[in-house]
């Protein structure tokens, strides 16, 4: 057997090992803890389109305030078993909650917000975008909010990472794909994903479903008009926007039309 031996200079080996040891680890190489998100957050807060839901806001006679546009309530998709005689049957529990409170509560485990057109789904996400941006500006440990509209995902080559990178870039932050993936794996973002029913293709829907599972640690809030149109991505927690109550309608009309509101309500009474 022919054996070839190559003599290696020990000094060269030591130099190579030393050079490797001085290189930063992968996790440190993509750590964006030094990234300044303040300009990005300020850009969000300065955007008039994102601030619109903030304007639909009036005080009540309590210490809290009432958000007119987002006052629509939520029905959680929950059930419990109740015993009636010898039979067990499922009974749906209908509860009414604050939109913002429930979305924040369930974002970590992923939540799907369902509602008819104009019910306030997108406004709810934009309100969260602004509120969370304010918090993150004051506290660096707060997750960075990102708003995505699924109708803009490419039909043939859908990429959620590309849309996230684009949203960050448009608002002043540049992250390469490696850093972005690391941030998602670490759960550094809060993703507000609008329009599951507006996905342009089945391929895009499969890509979104895979993305959700690939980055389970990242909190996500999805919206859709109808589960039959866009599916539910396997999300177990579902909340449904409900119509305004009569009291909420009256409050909204008086707020939007302070001078003619009362007269309009009198004219509409009984209709």
């Amino acid at each position: 057997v022919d054996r070839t031996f190559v003599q290696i200079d020990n000094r060269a080996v030591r130099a190579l090992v030393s050079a490797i040891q001085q290189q930063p680890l992968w996790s440190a190489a993509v750590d964006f803890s030094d990234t300044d998100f303040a300009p990005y957050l300020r850009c969000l807060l300065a955007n008039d389109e994102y601030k619109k839901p903030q304007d639909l806001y009036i005080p009540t006679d309590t210490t809290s305030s009432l958000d007119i546009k987002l006052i629509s309530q939520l029905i959680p998709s929950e059930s419990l078993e109740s015993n009636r005689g010898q039979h067990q049957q499922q009974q749906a529990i209908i509860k009414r909650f604050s939109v913002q409170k429930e979305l924040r509560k369930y974002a970590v485990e992923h939540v799907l917000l369902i509602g008819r057109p104009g019910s306030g789904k997108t406004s709810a996400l934009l309100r969260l975008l602004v509120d969370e941006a304010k918090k993150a500006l004051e506290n660096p440990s707060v997750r960075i909010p990102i708003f995505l509209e699924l109708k803009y995902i490419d039909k043939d080559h859908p990429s959620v990472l590309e849309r996230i990178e684009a949203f960050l870039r448009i608002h002043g932050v540049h992250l390469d794909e490696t850093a972005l993936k690391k941030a998602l794996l670490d759960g550094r973002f809060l993703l507000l994903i609008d329009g599951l029913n507006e996905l342009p293709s089945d391929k895009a829907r499969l890509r979104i479903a895979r993305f959700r599972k690939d980055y389970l640690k990242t909190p996500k809030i999805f919206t859709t008009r109808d589960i039959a149109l866009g599916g539910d991505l396997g999300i177990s927690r579902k909340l449904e926007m409900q119509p305004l109550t009569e009291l909420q309608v009256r409050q909204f009309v008086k707020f939007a039309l302070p001078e003619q509101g009362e007269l309009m309500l009198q004219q509409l009474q009984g209709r």
Side-chain angles (χ1 to χ4, degrees), residues 196-261:
L196 193 56
N197 59 287
E198 297 184 78
L199 283 168
S201 64
D202 289 337
K203 184 176 182 180
R205 188 168 294 105
L206 289 173
R207 189 64 59 87
I208 288 291
R210 184 187 304 168
F211 171 83
R212 185 182 83 84
K213 292 183 178 180
D214 285 346
Y215 301 103
L216 286 175
K217 195 173 180 180
T218 291
K220 302 178 189 69
I221 301 171
F222 294 86
T223 71
T224 189
R225 290 184 181 180
D226 192 335
I227 293 178
L229 297 177
D232 62 9
L233 300 182
I235 299 173
S236 60
R237 178 66 62 179
K238 302 177 183 67
L239 303 171
E240 182 176 356
M241 299 291 286
Q242 293 298 292
L244 298 177
T245 65
E246 182 178 349
L247 174 61
Q248 292 162 354
V249 171
R250 295 181 67 86
Q251 290 175 319
F252 176 75
V253 172
K254 289 181 179 180
F255 172 73
L257 302 169
E259 297 182 0
Q260 303 93 351

Coordinates of all heavy atoms in Angstrom, one line a residue, residues 196-261:
L196 N -55.2 36.8 6.0 CA -54.9 35.4 5.6 C -55.8 35.0 4.5 O -55.3 34.2 3.6 CB -55.2 34.5 6.8 CG -54.7 33.0 6.8 CD1 -53.2 33.0 6.5 CD2 -55.1 32.3 8.1
N197 N -57.0 35.5 4.4 CA -57.9 35.2 3.3 C -57.4 35.9 1.9 O -58.0 35.5 0.9 CB -59.3 35.7 3.6 CG -59.3 37.2 3.9 OD1 -58.9 37.6 4.9 ND2 -59.9 37.9 2.9
E198 N -56.5 36.8 2.0 CA -56.0 37.5 0.8 C -54.7 36.9 0.2 O -54.2 37.4 -0.8 CB -55.8 38.9 1.1 CG -57.0 39.7 1.5 CD -56.8 41.1 1.7 OE1 -56.8 41.9 0.7 OE2 -56.7 41.6 2.9
L199 N -54.3 35.7 0.7 CA -53.1 35.1 0.1 C -53.4 34.7 -1.4 O -54.4 34.2 -1.7 CB -52.8 33.8 0.9 CG -52.1 34.0 2.2 CD1 -52.0 32.7 3.0 CD2 -50.7 34.5 2.0
P200 N -52.4 35.0 -2.2 CA -52.7 34.9 -3.7 C -52.7 33.5 -4.3 O -53.1 33.3 -5.4 CB -51.5 35.8 -4.3 CG -50.4 35.6 -3.3 CD -51.1 35.6 -1.9
S201 N -52.2 32.5 -3.5 CA -52.1 31.2 -4.1 C -52.0 30.1 -3.0 O -51.7 30.5 -1.8 CB -50.9 31.1 -5.0 OG -49.7 31.3 -4.2
D202 N -52.2 28.9 -3.3 CA -52.1 27.8 -2.4 C -50.6 27.6 -2.0 O -50.3 27.3 -0.8 CB -52.6 26.5 -3.0 CG -54.1 26.4 -3.2 OD1 -54.8 27.2 -2.5 OD2 -54.6 25.7 -4.0
K203 N -49.7 27.9 -2.9 CA -48.3 27.9 -2.6 C -47.9 28.9 -1.5 O -47.2 28.6 -0.6 CB -47.5 28.2 -3.9 CG -46.0 28.0 -3.7 CD -45.2 28.2 -5.0 CE -43.7 28.1 -4.9 NZ -43.0 28.3 -6.1
A204 N -48.5 30.1 -1.6 CA -48.2 31.1 -0.6 C -48.8 30.6 0.8 O -48.2 30.9 1.8 CB -48.9 32.4 -1.0
R205 N -50.0 30.0 0.7 CA -50.6 29.5 2.0 C -49.7 28.5 2.6 O -49.6 28.5 3.9 CB -52.0 29.0 1.7 CG -52.8 28.7 2.9 CD -54.3 28.4 2.6 NE -54.9 29.6 2.1 CZ -55.2 29.9 0.8 NH1 -54.9 29.0 -0.1 NH2 -55.7 31.0 0.4
L206 N -49.2 27.5 1.9 CA -48.3 26.5 2.4 C -47.1 27.1 3.0 O -46.5 26.7 4.0 CB -48.0 25.5 1.3 CG -49.1 24.6 0.9 CD1 -48.7 23.7 -0.3 CD2 -49.5 23.7 2.0
R207 N -46.5 28.2 2.3 CA -45.3 28.8 2.8 C -45.6 29.5 4.1 O -44.7 29.5 5.0 CB -44.8 29.8 1.7 CG -43.5 30.4 2.0 CD -42.4 29.3 2.0 NE -42.3 28.6 0.7 CZ -41.6 29.0 -0.3 NH1 -40.9 30.1 -0.3 NH2 -41.6 28.3 -1.5
I208 N -46.7 30.2 4.2 CA -47.1 30.8 5.5 C -47.2 29.8 6.6 O -46.7 30.1 7.7 CB -48.4 31.6 5.3 CG1 -48.2 32.9 4.4 CG2 -48.9 32.1 6.7 CD1 -47.3 33.9 5.1
A209 N -47.9 28.7 6.3 CA -48.0 27.7 7.4 C -46.7 27.1 7.8 O -46.5 26.9 9.0 CB -48.9 26.5 6.8
R210 N -45.8 26.9 6.9 CA -44.5 26.5 7.2 C -43.7 27.5 8.1 O -43.0 27.2 9.0 CB -43.7 26.1 6.0 CG -42.3 25.5 6.3 CD -41.5 25.3 4.9 NE -42.3 24.5 4.0 CZ -41.9 24.4 2.7 NH1 -40.9 25.0 2.2 NH2 -42.7 23.7 1.9
F211 N -43.8 28.7 7.6 CA -43.1 29.8 8.4 C -43.6 29.9 9.8 O -42.8 30.1 10.7 CB -43.4 31.2 7.7 CG -42.9 32.4 8.4 CD1 -41.6 32.8 8.3 CD2 -43.8 33.1 9.2 CE1 -41.2 33.9 9.1 CE2 -43.4 34.2 9.9 CZ -42.1 34.6 9.9
R212 N -44.9 29.7 10.0 CA -45.4 29.8 11.4 C -44.8 28.7 12.3 O -44.4 29.0 13.4 CB -47.0 29.7 11.4 CG -47.6 29.8 12.8 CD -49.1 29.6 12.7 NE -49.5 28.3 12.8 CZ -49.6 27.6 13.9 NH1 -49.3 28.1 15.1 NH2 -50.0 26.3 13.9
K213 N -44.7 27.5 11.7 CA -44.1 26.4 12.5 C -42.6 26.5 12.6 O -42.1 26.1 13.7 CB -44.5 25.1 11.8 CG -46.0 24.8 11.9 CD -46.3 23.4 11.3 CE -47.8 23.1 11.4 NZ -48.2 21.8 10.8
D214 N -42.0 27.1 11.6 CA -40.5 27.2 11.7 C -40.1 28.2 12.8 O -39.0 28.1 13.4 CB -39.9 27.7 10.4 CG -39.9 26.6 9.3 OD1 -40.1 25.4 9.7 OD2 -39.7 26.9 8.1
Y215 N -41.0 29.2 13.1 CA -40.6 30.2 14.1 C -41.7 30.3 15.1 O -42.3 31.4 15.3 CB -40.4 31.6 13.4 CG -39.3 31.5 12.3 CD1 -39.6 31.5 11.0 CD2 -38.0 31.5 12.7 CE1 -38.6 31.4 10.0 CE2 -37.0 31.5 11.8 CZ -37.3 31.4 10.4 OH -36.3 31.3 9.5
L216 N -41.9 29.2 15.8 CA -43.0 29.1 16.8 C -42.8 30.1 18.0 O -43.7 30.5 18.6 CB -43.1 27.7 17.3 CG -43.8 26.7 16.4 CD1 -43.7 25.3 17.0 CD2 -45.2 27.1 16.1
K217 N -41.5 30.4 18.3 CA -41.2 31.2 19.4 C -41.5 32.7 19.2 O -41.6 33.5 20.1 CB -39.7 31.1 19.7 CG -39.3 31.6 21.1 CD -37.8 31.3 21.4 CE -37.4 31.9 22.8 NZ -36.0 31.6 23.1
T218 N -41.7 33.1 17.9 CA -42.1 34.5 17.6 C -43.6 34.6 17.8 O -44.3 34.0 17.1 CB -41.6 34.8 16.2 OG1 -40.2 34.9 16.1 CG2 -42.2 36.2 15.8
P219 N -44.0 35.5 18.6 CA -45.5 35.8 18.8 C -46.1 36.3 17.5 O -45.4 37.1 16.8 CB -45.5 36.9 19.9 CG -44.2 36.7 20.6 CD -43.2 36.3 19.6
K220 N -47.2 35.8 17.1 CA -47.9 36.2 15.9 C -49.4 36.4 16.1 O -50.0 35.6 16.8 CB -47.7 35.1 14.8 CG -46.2 34.8 14.5 CD -46.1 33.7 13.5 CE -44.7 33.2 13.3 NZ -44.2 32.5 14.5
I221 N -49.9 37.4 15.4 CA -51.4 37.6 15.4 C -51.8 37.7 13.9 O -51.3 38.5 13.1 CB -51.7 38.9 16.1 CG1 -51.3 38.9 17.5 CG2 -53.2 39.2 16.0 CD1 -51.5 40.2 18.2
F222 N -52.7 36.8 13.5 CA -53.1 36.7 12.1 C -54.6 37.2 12.1 O -55.3 37.1 13.1 CB -53.1 35.3 11.6 CG -51.8 34.7 11.4 CD1 -51.1 34.0 12.5 CD2 -51.1 34.7 10.2 CE1 -49.9 33.5 12.4 CE2 -49.9 34.1 10.1 CZ -49.2 33.5 11.1
T223 N -55.0 37.8 10.9 CA -56.4 38.1 10.8 C -56.9 37.5 9.5 O -56.2 37.2 8.6 CB -56.6 39.6 10.6 OG1 -56.1 40.1 9.4 CG2 -55.9 40.4 11.8
T224 N -58.2 37.2 9.5 CA -58.9 36.7 8.3 C -60.4 37.1 8.3 O -60.9 37.3 9.4 CB -58.7 35.2 8.2 OG1 -59.2 34.7 6.9 CG2 -59.5 34.5 9.3
R225 N -61.0 37.1 7.1 CA -62.4 37.4 7.1 C -63.2 36.1 7.3 O -64.2 36.1 8.0 CB -62.8 37.9 5.7 CG -62.3 39.3 5.4 CD -62.8 39.8 4.0 NE -62.3 41.1 3.7 CZ -62.6 41.8 2.6 NH1 -63.4 41.2 1.7 NH2 -62.2 43.0 2.4
D226 N -62.7 35.0 6.8 CA -63.4 33.8 6.9 C -62.4 32.6 6.8 O -61.6 32.5 5.9 CB -64.4 33.7 5.7 CG -65.4 32.5 5.9 OD1 -65.1 31.6 6.6 OD2 -66.5 32.6 5.3
I227 N -62.6 31.7 7.7 CA -61.7 30.5 7.8 C -61.8 29.7 6.5 O -60.9 29.1 6.0 CB -62.0 29.7 9.0 CG1 -61.6 30.4 10.3 CG2 -61.2 28.4 8.9 CD1 -61.8 29.7 11.5
A228 N -63.1 29.7 5.9 CA -63.3 28.9 4.7 C -62.5 29.4 3.6 O -62.2 28.7 2.6 CB -64.8 28.9 4.4
L229 N -62.1 30.7 3.6 CA -61.4 31.3 2.5 C -59.9 31.2 2.6 O -59.2 30.9 1.6 CB -61.7 32.8 2.4 CG -63.2 33.2 2.1 CD1 -63.4 34.7 2.1 CD2 -63.6 32.6 0.7
G230 N -59.4 31.3 3.8 CA -57.9 31.3 4.0 C -57.4 30.2 4.9 O -56.2 30.1 5.1
G231 N -58.3 29.4 5.5 CA -57.9 28.4 6.4 C -57.5 29.0 7.7 O -57.6 30.2 7.9
D232 N -57.0 28.2 8.6 CA -56.6 28.7 10.0 C -55.2 28.4 10.3 O -54.7 28.6 11.4 CB -57.5 28.1 11.0 CG -57.5 26.6 11.2 OD1 -56.6 26.0 10.5 OD2 -58.3 26.1 11.9
L233 N -54.4 27.8 9.4 CA -53.0 27.4 9.6 C -52.7 26.5 10.8 O -51.6 26.4 11.3 CB -52.2 28.7 9.8 CG -52.2 29.8 8.7 CD1 -51.3 30.9 9.0 CD2 -51.7 29.2 7.4
G234 N -53.8 25.9 11.2 CA -53.6 25.0 12.4 C -53.6 25.7 13.7 O -53.3 25.2 14.7
I235 N -54.0 27.0 13.7 CA -54.0 27.8 14.9 C -55.2 27.5 15.8 O -56.4 27.6 15.3 CB -54.0 29.3 14.6 CG1 -52.8 29.7 13.8 CG2 -54.1 30.2 15.9 CD1 -52.8 31.1 13.3
S236 N -55.0 27.0 17.0 CA -56.1 26.6 17.8 C -56.9 27.7 18.5 O -58.1 27.7 18.7 CB -55.6 25.6 18.9 OG -54.6 26.3 19.7
R237 N -56.2 28.8 18.8 CA -56.8 30.0 19.4 C -57.4 30.9 18.4 O -56.7 31.5 17.6 CB -55.8 30.7 20.3 CG -56.3 32.0 21.0 CD -57.4 31.6 22.0 NE -56.8 30.8 23.1 CZ -57.5 30.4 24.1 NH1 -58.8 30.7 24.3 NH2 -56.9 29.6 25.1
K238 N -58.7 31.0 18.4 CA -59.4 31.9 17.4 C -60.3 32.8 18.2 O -61.0 32.4 19.1 CB -60.2 31.0 16.4 CG -59.4 30.0 15.6 CD -60.3 29.2 14.7 CE -59.5 28.1 14.0 NZ -58.9 27.1 14.9
L239 N -60.3 34.1 17.8 CA -61.1 35.1 18.4 C -61.9 35.8 17.3 O -61.4 36.0 16.2 CB -60.3 36.1 19.1 CG -59.4 35.6 20.2 CD1 -58.4 36.6 20.7 CD2 -60.2 35.0 21.3
E240 N -63.2 36.1 17.5 CA -64.0 36.6 16.5 C -64.5 38.0 16.9 O -65.0 38.2 18.0 CB -65.2 35.7 16.3 CG -66.1 36.2 15.2 CD -67.3 35.2 14.9 OE1 -67.3 34.1 15.5 OE2 -68.1 35.5 14.0
M241 N -64.4 38.9 16.0 CA -64.9 40.3 16.2 C -66.4 40.3 16.2 O -67.0 39.6 15.4 CB -64.4 41.2 15.1 CG -62.9 41.4 15.0 SD -62.2 42.3 16.3 CE -62.7 43.9 16.0
Q242 N -67.0 41.0 17.1 CA -68.5 41.1 17.2 C -69.0 42.5 16.9 O -68.3 43.5 17.1 CB -68.9 40.7 18.7 CG -68.6 39.2 19.0 CD -69.4 38.3 18.1 OE1 -70.6 38.2 18.2 NE2 -68.7 37.6 17.2
P243 N -70.2 42.6 16.5 CA -70.8 43.9 16.2 C -70.9 44.8 17.4 O -70.9 44.3 18.5 CB -72.2 43.5 15.7 CG -72.2 42.1 15.3 CD -71.2 41.5 16.2
L244 N -70.9 46.1 17.2 CA -71.0 47.0 18.3 C -72.4 46.8 19.0 O -73.4 46.6 18.3 CB -70.9 48.5 17.8 CG -69.6 48.9 17.1 CD1 -69.7 50.3 16.6 CD2 -68.4 48.7 18.1
T245 N -72.4 47.0 20.3 CA -73.7 47.0 21.0 C -74.4 48.4 20.8 O -73.8 49.3 20.2 CB -73.4 46.8 22.5 OG1 -72.7 48.0 23.0 CG2 -72.6 45.6 22.8
E246 N -75.6 48.5 21.2 CA -76.3 49.7 21.0 C -75.7 50.9 21.7 O -75.6 52.0 21.2 CB -77.8 49.6 21.5 CG -78.6 50.8 21.3 CD -80.1 50.6 21.8 OE1 -80.4 49.5 22.1 OE2 -80.8 51.6 21.9
L247 N -75.2 50.6 22.9 CA -74.5 51.7 23.7 C -73.2 52.1 23.0 O -72.9 53.3 22.9 CB -74.1 51.1 25.1 CG -73.3 52.1 26.0 CD1 -74.0 53.4 26.2 CD2 -72.9 51.4 27.3
Q248 N -72.5 51.2 22.4 CA -71.2 51.5 21.7 C -71.5 52.3 20.4 O -70.8 53.2 20.1 CB -70.5 50.2 21.4 CG -69.9 49.6 22.6 CD -69.5 48.1 22.4 OE1 -69.8 47.6 21.3 NE2 -69.0 47.5 23.4
V249 N -72.6 52.0 19.8 CA -73.0 52.7 18.6 C -73.3 54.2 18.9 O -72.9 55.1 18.3 CB -74.2 52.1 17.9 CG1 -74.8 53.0 16.8 CG2 -73.8 50.7 17.3
R250 N -74.1 54.3 20.0 CA -74.4 55.7 20.5 C -73.2 56.5 20.8 O -73.0 57.7 20.5 CB -75.4 55.6 21.7 CG -76.7 55.0 21.4 CD -77.6 55.0 22.6 NE -77.9 56.3 23.0 CZ -79.0 57.0 22.5 NH1 -79.8 56.4 21.6 NH2 -79.3 58.2 23.0
Q251 N -72.2 55.9 21.5 CA -71.0 56.5 21.9 C -70.2 56.9 20.6 O -69.6 58.0 20.6 CB -70.1 55.6 22.8 CG -70.7 55.4 24.2 CD -69.9 54.5 25.0 OE1 -69.5 53.4 24.5 NE2 -69.7 54.8 26.2
F252 N -70.2 56.0 19.6 CA -69.4 56.3 18.4 C -70.0 57.5 17.7 O -69.3 58.4 17.2 CB -69.4 55.1 17.5 CG -68.7 55.4 16.2 CD1 -67.3 55.5 16.2 CD2 -69.4 55.5 15.0 CE1 -66.7 55.8 15.0 CE2 -68.8 55.8 13.8 CZ -67.4 55.9 13.8
V253 N -71.4 57.5 17.5 CA -72.1 58.6 16.8 C -71.8 59.9 17.4 O -71.6 60.9 16.8 CB -73.6 58.2 16.6 CG1 -74.3 59.4 16.0 CG2 -73.8 57.0 15.8
K254 N -71.9 59.9 18.8 CA -71.8 61.2 19.5 C -70.3 61.7 19.4 O -70.1 62.9 19.4 CB -72.2 61.0 21.0 CG -73.7 60.8 21.2 CD -74.0 60.7 22.7 CE -75.5 60.6 22.9 NZ -75.8 60.4 24.3
F255 N -69.4 60.8 19.3 CA -68.0 61.2 19.2 C -67.7 61.7 17.8 O -67.0 62.7 17.6 CB -67.1 60.0 19.5 CG -65.6 60.2 19.3 CD1 -64.9 61.1 20.1 CD2 -65.0 59.7 18.2 CE1 -63.6 61.3 19.8 CE2 -63.7 59.9 17.9 CZ -62.9 60.8 18.7
A256 N -68.2 60.9 16.8 CA -67.9 61.3 15.4 C -68.6 62.5 15.0 O -68.1 63.3 14.2 CB -68.2 60.1 14.5
L257 N -69.9 62.7 15.5 CA -70.7 63.8 15.1 C -71.2 64.5 16.4 O -72.3 64.4 16.8 CB -71.9 63.4 14.3 CG -71.6 62.6 13.0 CD1 -72.8 62.0 12.4 CD2 -70.9 63.5 12.0
P258 N -70.3 65.3 17.0 CA -70.7 65.9 18.3 C -71.9 66.8 18.3 O -72.6 66.9 19.3 CB -69.4 66.6 18.7 CG -68.6 66.8 17.5 CD -68.9 65.6 16.6
E259 N -72.1 67.5 17.1 CA -73.2 68.5 17.1 C -74.5 67.8 16.6 O -75.6 68.1 17.1 CB -72.8 69.6 16.1 CG -71.6 70.4 16.6 CD -71.2 71.6 15.7 OE1 -71.9 71.7 14.7 OE2 -70.3 72.3 16.0
Q260 N -74.4 66.9 15.6 CA -75.6 66.3 15.0 C -75.9 64.9 15.6 O -76.9 64.4 15.2 CB -75.5 66.2 13.5 CG -75.2 67.5 12.8 CD -73.7 67.8 12.6 OE1 -72.9 67.0 13.1 NE2 -73.3 68.9 11.9
G261 N -75.0 64.4 16.4 CA -75.1 63.0 16.8 C -76.4 62.7 17.5 O -77.1 61.7 17.2

